[in-house]
Amino acid sequence: MRTVEEQLAVITAAAVTPEPVRIAISEALGLRCAERVEGTSALPGFDQAAIDGYAVRSVDIRQALEAAEWDGSDDPDSPDNSGISGARDGSRQRVRDVLPIVGEVTAGSLRPIRLQPRQAVRVHTGAPLPALADAVLPLDWADIEGRRIRPLYPVASGEFVHREGSDVQPGDVVVEQGAVIGAAQVGLLAAVGRSKVLVYPRPRMSIISFGQELVDIDREPGLGQVYDVNSYALAAAGREAGADVHRIGIMRGEPRKMRDIIEGQLIRSEIVVIAGAVGGEASDRLREVLDDLGDMDVSRIAMHPGSVMGFGTLGADRVPTFLLPANPSAALVAFEVMVRPLVQLIRGQRQANRRIVKARTIASISSIPHRRGFIRGQLMRDRETREFLVDPLGAANAGEPTHLLGSHGQANCLIVIPADWDHVAPGQEVDVMFLNNKA
């Protein structure tokens, strides 16, 4: 019986990263960049207004405020107060110079404007700044008097302005080789004018269900028949892992027909997964077909559920091929533990495994001795202590079934029980593997 680590070592040794392909940036989300992308020009390419306001010379605003006069009297009827703004309230106010508004520039404007000293130009967010302007005075920082403004507050040079090249300079790296392309990276690629990018493609994965008892979900099962759950569930798991999945559906029939189906998928895939092919006389016939196509080893793994599985490399390209249990819940666990890490490695991910945290159980768990347990659970967090807590959903007591799919739908984690443990007491700390996309 192999350990989980021994089986994973055999599997990951077969990982081969596909050759990079150049695709449109609109299709690159979630893929790993296969090139170092540098900016070839400044971004933004010109000084632009960061907000709606007035393009000005900061020195003009400062001088306008410094030119203010204090009234020197608290008498609102004093002749010295005539023409002084706000004098009627009896407070000490100052008169500010006015700047004429000599034009308007909107975003995308192609008409150059040159600002003269002691002038202002109305600008919209994203608009190119007029020549000689070095700041934008926000709209509510000025009183408007017809086609003139009286500044209320000073602005510093460069304030409320996106300077040319402040985001990206020529030669700056905008996307590193090996980086996962997210929304921000797609935006950066567009910002530097790249319509396509070199990426490592998603590994192509074929999912096949095997079994005489299976019927597709658009048919009514007869006596002794069950719906094909595995091809749908495993195809979803493959897509969630980042693979480009082709769901074949149910495979059965004569050996020659099965061979044709499998050979067809080996040509088009980097990974092939066959569920329901590790038990019974029919599985033995399938394994004879697989043995003609390459090296296939079916063995027991020191884990539960899903202790019996097969792995080999088939076809001229030695495509990694998995044989998983027929039980859907066991097949999903086996996929999570064995298949998903291979997908991540082929995708070029630096971390192939899910995030693991420590959590305290809120119920007892019984585990099969000498096998590492992967028990479905619900992970939560204590509001006060922020400590992780986990509620086991399967194998909580000795003799309970571990194959039920219903609890899998409620699970957001797998509780990892070491092979040398056969029991976990409530409150005991265990390793917990996340099962969501954010892990």
Side-chain angles (χ1 to χ4, degrees):
M1 183 180 292
R2 289 178 181 167
T3 66
V4 172
E5 287 79 10
E6 289 170 342
Q7 182 71 0
L8 279 172
V10 173
I11 291 169
T12 56
V16 177
T17 303
E19 289 296 317
V21 295
R22 193 169 298 278
I23 64 173
I25 62 171
S26 57
E27 304 298 323
L29 186 67
L31 299 180
R32 191 166 292 279
C33 189
E35 63 175 322
R36 176 186 171 106
V37 182
E38 298 180 354
T40 57
S41 58
L43 180 67
F46 50 87
D47 291 348
Q48 60 180 200
I51 60 171
D52 287 358
Y54 301 97
V56 294
R57 297 194 319 161
S58 58
V59 64
D60 291 339
I61 301 301
R62 185 175 66 252
Q63 290 175 354
L65 294 173
E66 290 175 350
E69 297 178 0
W70 296 98
D71 63 2
S73 171
D74 291 336
D75 181 5
D77 296 325
S78 169
D80 293 337
N81 285 334
S82 59
I84 297 178
S85 174
R88 291 184 180 180
D89 63 6
S91 62
R92 294 166 61 85
Q93 299 291 325
R94 56 183 181 175
V95 176
R96 290 171 295 276
D97 283 355
V98 296
L99 278 68
I101 303 171
V102 297
E104 183 173 3
V105 183
T106 60
S109 174
L110 301 178
R111 183 171 61 89
I113 292 183
R114 182 179 179 87
L115 190 70
Q116 299 298 325
R118 300 182 58 78
Q119 290 182 345
V121 171
R122 174 73 167 89
V123 289
H124 297 253
T125 303
L129 228 60
L132 297 187
D134 68 341
V136 174
L137 185 72
L139 293 178
D140 55 357
W141 285 22
D143 286 336
I144 304 175
E145 299 178 0
R147 294 292 299 172
R148 301 182 303 173
I149 61 170
R150 289 185 183 272
L152 301 175
Y153 308 102
V155 287
S157 180
E159 197 167 5
F160 304 112
V161 174
H162 292 315
R163 289 293 193 188
E164 178 181 354
S166 59
D167 198 357
V168 176
Q169 289 284 344
D172 284 355
V173 177
V174 295
V175 181
E176 289 281 4
Q177 183 176 1
V180 176
I181 297 176
Q185 286 72 32
V186 171
L188 279 167
L189 290 167
V192 299
R194 290 289 296 269
S195 62
K196 294 187 176 182
V197 63
L198 195 66
V199 297
Y200 296 108
R202 294 179 177 86
R204 297 169 300 172
M205 176 185 291
S206 293
I207 304 290
I208 304 171
S209 283
F210 176 75
Q212 300 297 323
E213 77 282 11
L214 300 178
V215 295
D216 201 18
I217 57 177
D218 59 357
R219 293 180 54 192
E220 190 70 26
L223 181 63
Q225 293 182 319
V226 295
Y227 286 126
D228 167 27
V229 174
N230 278 325
S231 72
Y232 289 95
L234 295 175
R239 293 188 183 98
E240 188 273 331
D244 181 7
V245 177
H246 183 60
R247 189 187 69 83
I248 308 306
I250 302 168
M251 178 180 68
R252 53 172 168 254
E254 295 301 316
R256 179 173 296 183
K257 181 179 179 181
M258 291 191 293
R259 181 185 178 116
D260 290 343
I261 292 173
I262 295 169
E263 283 186 318
Q265 302 316 308
L266 293 174
I267 294 172
R268 67 182 297 175
S269 307
E270 277 81 44
I271 301 174
V272 173
V273 177
I274 306 175
V278 288
E281 183 179 346
S283 296
D284 292 339
R285 291 197 300 271
L286 173 60
R287 286 172 57 186
E288 291 177 3
V289 173
L290 298 177
D291 287 340
D292 288 340
L293 295 173
D295 300 322
M296 175 59 64
D297 175 61
V298 177
S299 57
R300 284 193 173 274
I301 314 300
M303 63 177 283
H304 74 93
S307 61
V308 181
M309 66 181 70
F311 177 76
T313 52
L314 306 182
D317 294 327
R318 300 184 63 80
V319 176
T321 303
F322 293 85
L323 305 183
L324 301 187
N327 176 265
S329 184
L332 281 172
V333 171
F335 186 99
E336 181 67 34
V337 176
M338 297 296 174
V339 184
R340 190 179 189 278
L342 180 63
V343 176
Q344 301 308 303
L345 287 175
I346 292 177
R347 291 180 61 207
Q349 297 280 45
R350 298 183 180 92
Q351 178 58 43
N353 300 317
R354 296 275 200 180
R355 179 188 174 197
I356 292 180
V357 299
K358 296 287 186 181
R360 296 193 181 278
T361 63
I362 63 176
S364 63
I365 306 173
S366 292
S367 185
I368 299 175
H370 311 300
R371 296 186 189 178
R372 184 178 302 178
F374 294 91
I375 310 303
R376 299 171 297 282
Q378 282 187 333
L379 187 65
M380 60 200 81
R381 213 160 193 177
D382 187 283
R383 289 184 178 179
E384 295 182 359
T385 66
R386 305 303 296 164
E387 181 182 34
F388 281 113
L389 304 174
V390 65
D391 182 14
L393 300 176
N397 295 292
E400 284 194 0
T402 62
H403 64 276
L404 300 179
L405 188 61
S407 61
H408 217 116
Q410 305 169 32
N412 62 1
C413 69
L414 289 178
I415 305 167
V416 184
I417 311 299
D420 55 353
W421 293 12
D422 59 9
H423 181 77
V424 179
Q428 190 168 348
E429 195 173 65
V430 293
D431 286 338
V432 174
M433 180 191 302
F434 282 76
L435 285 182
N436 57 46
N437 286 326
K438 298 179 181 179

